[in-house]
Amino acid sequence: MNLANLNIGKKIYLVTGILILIFTASSFWLYGQYRDQLYEGSREQLVAAVDTAWGIIDHYSRSVGEDLSRSEAQMLAKSAIRALRFGNGSYFWINDTTPKIVMHPIKPQLEGKDMSAVKDPNGVYLFKEMVNVTAKDGAGFVEYQWAKPGHDKPVDKLSYVRRHPDWGWIVGAGVYLDDIQSRIAAAFWSVIGVLGFSLLVSAALVWFLARHVSHPLHQTVEMIEEMEKGHLDRRLNMDRKDEMGRMARAMDAFADSLQNEVVASLQRLATGDLTFSIEPRDSQDVVRGALQKLEQDLNRVMLDIQSSGEQIAAGASQVSDSSQSLSQGATESAASLEEISASMNEMSSQTRQNAENADQANRLSDEAQAAAEKGNQQMQEMVSAMGEIADAGQNISKIIKVIDEIAFQTNLLALNAAVEAARAGQHGKGFAVVAEEVRNLAARSARAARETAELIEGSVDLTERGSHIAGQTAEALGKIVDGVTKVSNLVSEIAAASNEQAQGIAQVNQGLAQIDQVTQQNTANAEEGAAASEELSSQAAQLHNMLSRFKLKQHAMTAAPSTIPAAAPPRPPQPAAGNGNWGGGSAAPRGEEMIALNDDEFGRY
């Protein structure tokens, strides 16, 4: 809901309703505070009263052993508390932790009776609850139902109990909640009555104020709406002395002024009568001042229009001739531009194809360069591997020499063993056989080592020869890589130059297209100008006929021409001076965006 769209009556009702809601909420808040204070005051009263009775018990408990015995002190304490009252006659009672009633001033028959099984109608074992509450904190509140003195039906009761630690007595007192609730109910109905009376009075006053304000405003709004529709016959005619009456009289006077002065003058203006006169009330009268200025300006403008009609008719013929000449030159320029544009498009296509071929050759050259570099790298790796194989062959030759020396030493040991076996005679035969086998094995090892050494030496020779050939091949591949790199660079330069040529030709085509567009536009404008000038000539005559219906003031009528003179004879078309453009056409309009073409820029291509 938008408050700005509500009428004044609804706004008054809304504000009043908000104030009533605030007043109602405040009243109920105060009622809640009063209710809470009643309950809190009752609790504080109970605590103070029970603390007083507990102080009496504590006083007599401290007197035990001095002047009194324990039983005497307890008897005096019970007598003092039995007669003690607070509030509206509320009493105190005493029970122990068993729980048994020690003292009860209202029902003495309960004294000495076990109350552990006593419970209220809600099932609350009230005396057990008192014992439990005082066992935790020494004191506390207990809510239950108990019969009031002189009544049989139990009512809600709030009690406060406190335990004395020496004697184990629990002294307590309570208040009946129905008394508090009756006071709260009385306060509630008082609040409701005041609120109801206030609401009725407020509603009556607000209704009277809303009617007194909104009804005149409603009539004024209806009159303004009728005036907006152009209906000026309605009047308010309010006989009041307040602001509403002043507004009504001002609206009626405004409607009279509009109807008798402004609208009457406009009606005369609609019929072509410009002889009316308007006198503003003062310098701030913008409506009558505007009408006066309109009357003066229209008389002056109509006079100027009549004097300008003959100039329009005379110039229309000249514009038509010039437009025909311009149209013919522009048509020839457009045909030439179309031929040049077709040739440039063909050149652009060929240049673009050359650029694409150069790009493809550049890519192939880059691939060849990459392949040559990769082959050169692999050849370098092969040369390195051949060198490692040669080094490994040298190491194997050394190992073979070691094996040959081992075989030689083994042969010597076998000979020594055979000599020793011969010396041993019969006992050394078996040893001699072993020595002979070892000698044969050493001979075979030496022979195999020599053969292996010969093979390795041949392999090393072949490896060195392969390394030499691989080095020559790597050197040749390096030269190939250098040649391919140079070719790739040249192809890249050719591709770049071809792309720049294609871009330059594209810019030339764009410039030619813009020139052709401008030429076509000039041709169309020239044809339209010729047609417009012919139409203008006929409209000038029609304009004079239309202006003749206006009735001007006397000073304007004397200055207005009676007829339009004959148009000047048409001027023969003159050829346009050449300015370096194709077809000798006129320059392009200022609004067109042109590309500056400089022949010096094409030297780099």
Side-chain angles (χ1 to χ4, degrees):
M1 178 180 65
N2 191 357
L3 295 179
N5 296 330
L6 296 178
N7 56 37
I8 190 67
K10 291 182 180 179
K11 289 180 180 178
I12 294 175
Y13 293 143
L14 178 62
V15 172
T16 305
I18 293 174
L19 293 176
I20 290 174
L21 288 177
I22 294 174
F23 179 70
T24 304
S26 301
S27 300
F28 279 105
W29 180 79
L30 292 174
Y31 162 75
Q33 294 293 319
Y34 173 74
R35 181 189 58 194
D36 296 339
Q37 288 178 1
L38 282 180
Y39 281 112
E40 188 63 26
S42 299
R43 287 174 175 267
E44 292 176 354
Q45 184 182 15
L46 280 176
V47 172
V50 172
D51 287 344
T52 301
W54 185 89
I56 294 173
I57 297 173
D58 186 64
H59 168 72
Y60 283 106
S61 67
R62 294 178 185 275
S63 300
V64 174
E66 296 179 358
D67 299 330
L68 300 173
S69 63
R70 181 183 178 92
S71 59
E72 291 174 345
Q74 291 179 346
M75 182 65 66
L76 292 174
K78 287 191 291 183
S79 298
I81 296 174
R82 187 186 301 275
L84 188 64
R85 297 290 186 272
F86 71 96
N88 296 326
S90 298
Y91 60 90
F92 299 90
W93 78 89
I94 301 174
N95 60 276
D96 58 13
T97 58
T98 306
K100 292 181 181 180
I101 297 295
V102 176
M103 187 278 298
H104 198 288
I106 304 301
K107 296 180 179 181
Q109 65 272 16
L110 298 178
E111 295 179 359
K113 184 178 179 180
D114 185 7
M115 305 297 289
S116 59
V118 176
K119 60 181 179 179
D120 68 350
N122 295 326
V124 178
Y125 292 90
L126 54 115
F127 289 98
K128 287 184 178 180
E129 189 67 22
M130 295 176 187
V131 174
N132 295 332
V133 168
T134 57
K136 293 180 181 179
D137 301 325
F141 289 94
V142 179
E143 293 185 6
Y144 55 94
Q145 289 186 341
W146 190 263
K148 294 177 65 176
H151 298 80
D152 296 333
K153 187 177 180 180
V155 296
D156 293 335
K157 187 175 184 180
L158 176 66
S159 296
Y160 180 75
V161 292
R162 185 174 180 182
R163 177 186 294 189
H164 192 274
D166 294 336
W167 291 356
W169 283 5
I170 298 174
V171 59
V175 293
Y176 294 97
L177 298 180
D178 59 342
D179 297 334
I180 300 175
Q181 291 170 355
S182 62
R183 294 171 62 186
I184 293 174
F188 174 77
W189 289 112
S190 298
V191 171
I192 292 297
V194 172
L195 281 177
F197 178 76
S198 301
L199 289 176
L200 290 175
V201 173
S202 300
L205 292 176
V206 169
W207 179 82
F208 175 77
L209 178 61
R211 290 285 299 174
H212 192 70
V213 173
S214 63
H215 184 66
L217 285 178
H218 182 68
Q219 291 180 335
T220 305
V221 170
E222 288 181 350
M223 178 179 175
I224 294 174
E225 291 176 349
E226 291 295 321
M227 293 175 65
E228 188 274 334
K229 298 176 182 178
H231 305 160
L232 303 179
D233 297 330
R234 187 166 182 173
R235 299 294 183 270
L236 295 175
N237 297 323
M238 291 186 185
D239 189 12
R240 297 175 56 165
K241 304 300 182 181
D242 57 358
E243 290 80 0
M244 294 295 177
R246 292 178 57 190
M247 180 181 66
R249 288 190 293 272
M251 289 298 300
D252 292 342
F254 179 60
D256 292 337
S257 176
L258 284 179
Q259 186 175 15
N260 299 325
E261 295 184 31
V262 177
V263 176
S265 300
L266 292 177
Q267 288 175 349
R268 293 179 63 183
L269 176 62
T271 60
D273 186 2
L274 302 180
T275 60
F276 61 90
S277 297
I278 296 294
E279 294 298 332
R281 301 288 178 84
D282 52 28
S283 59
Q284 303 297 326
D285 189 354
V286 294
V287 177
R288 295 175 182 82
L291 277 176
Q292 184 185 45
K293 189 174 185 303
L294 175 64
E295 172 263 321
Q296 295 174 356
D297 291 345
L298 280 176
N299 277 277
R300 184 171 57 255
V301 168
M302 296 305 296
L303 179 62
D304 294 339
I305 292 175
Q306 287 181 351
S307 63
S308 300
E310 61 182 67
Q311 298 178 5
I312 296 173
S317 178
Q318 297 179 1
V319 172
S320 177
D321 295 338
S322 300
S323 298
Q324 292 294 336
S325 177
L326 179 62
S327 176
Q328 182 179 0
T331 302
E332 295 175 357
S333 298
S336 300
L337 282 174
E338 288 180 357
E339 296 178 359
I340 294 173
S341 178
S343 301
M344 292 304 296
N345 287 330
E346 184 66 23
M347 292 176 60
S348 175
S349 176
Q350 295 176 358
T351 304
R352 191 180 300 108
Q353 185 176 2
N354 291 336
E356 292 175 356
N357 294 334
D359 289 337
Q360 185 177 2
N362 187 20
R363 288 195 300 269
L364 295 176
S365 178
D366 290 339
E367 294 176 358
Q369 180 181 0
E373 290 177 352
K374 184 175 181 181
N376 187 20
Q377 182 180 1
Q378 292 177 354
M379 186 58 66
Q380 293 293 337
E381 293 176 357
M382 186 182 71
V383 170
S384 177
M386 294 295 288
E388 292 177 357
I389 293 172
D391 293 338
Q394 295 293 335
N395 293 329
I396 294 173
S397 298
K398 293 179 181 179
I399 294 171
I400 294 302
K401 290 181 180 180
V402 172
I403 294 173
D404 190 21
E405 291 177 356
I406 292 172
F408 179 73
Q409 294 294 331
T410 303
N411 190 18
L412 290 179
L413 290 175
L415 289 176
N416 292 331
V419 172
E420 293 297 329
R423 290 178 181 179
Q426 187 65 30
H427 297 287
K429 286 184 179 181
F431 189 70
V433 173
V434 173
E436 183 65 22
E437 291 298 327
V438 171
R439 182 180 179 186
N440 294 332
L441 181 61
R444 290 174 61 190
S445 297
R447 186 168 57 254
R450 285 194 298 273
E451 293 176 354
T452 304
E454 291 175 356
L455 292 175
I456 290 173
E457 289 176 356
S459 176
V460 168
D461 293 338
L462 292 176
T463 301
E464 291 178 353
R465 183 179 178 185
S467 297
H468 179 69
I469 295 172
Q472 292 178 352
T473 304
E475 182 178 359
L477 285 175
K479 293 180 180 180
I480 292 172
V481 170
D482 293 338
V484 171
T485 301
K486 293 179 180 180
V487 171
S488 179
N489 292 333
L490 292 175
V491 173
S492 297
E493 294 177 357
I494 293 171
S498 297
N499 288 325
E500 291 179 356
Q501 288 178 358
Q503 293 176 0
I505 292 176
Q507 292 179 355
V508 172
N509 283 334
Q510 185 178 359
L512 289 175
Q514 292 181 352
I515 294 172
D516 181 65
Q517 182 179 0
V518 172
T519 304
Q520 296 291 342
Q521 185 66 32
N522 288 339
T523 303
N525 291 336
E527 294 176 353
E528 292 177 358
S533 61
E534 294 177 358
E535 181 67 19
L536 183 62
S537 179
S538 61
Q539 291 293 331
Q542 186 178 358
L543 177 63
H544 179 266
N545 295 329
M546 294 172 62
L547 292 175
S548 62
R549 64 185 291 267
F550 287 97
K551 183 179 180 181
L552 306 181
K553 286 189 175 180
Q554 188 63 31
H555 68 279
M557 290 292 292
T558 56
S562 58
T563 57
I564 297 178
R571 185 175 59 183
Q574 298 178 358
N579 56 1
N581 294 331
W582 288 291
S586 60
R590 295 182 180 179
E592 287 289 337
E593 180 184 358
M594 300 299 295
I595 296 179
L597 302 177
N598 190 355
D599 294 338
D600 296 334
E601 296 180 356
F602 295 96
R604 57 184 179 178
Y605 300 111

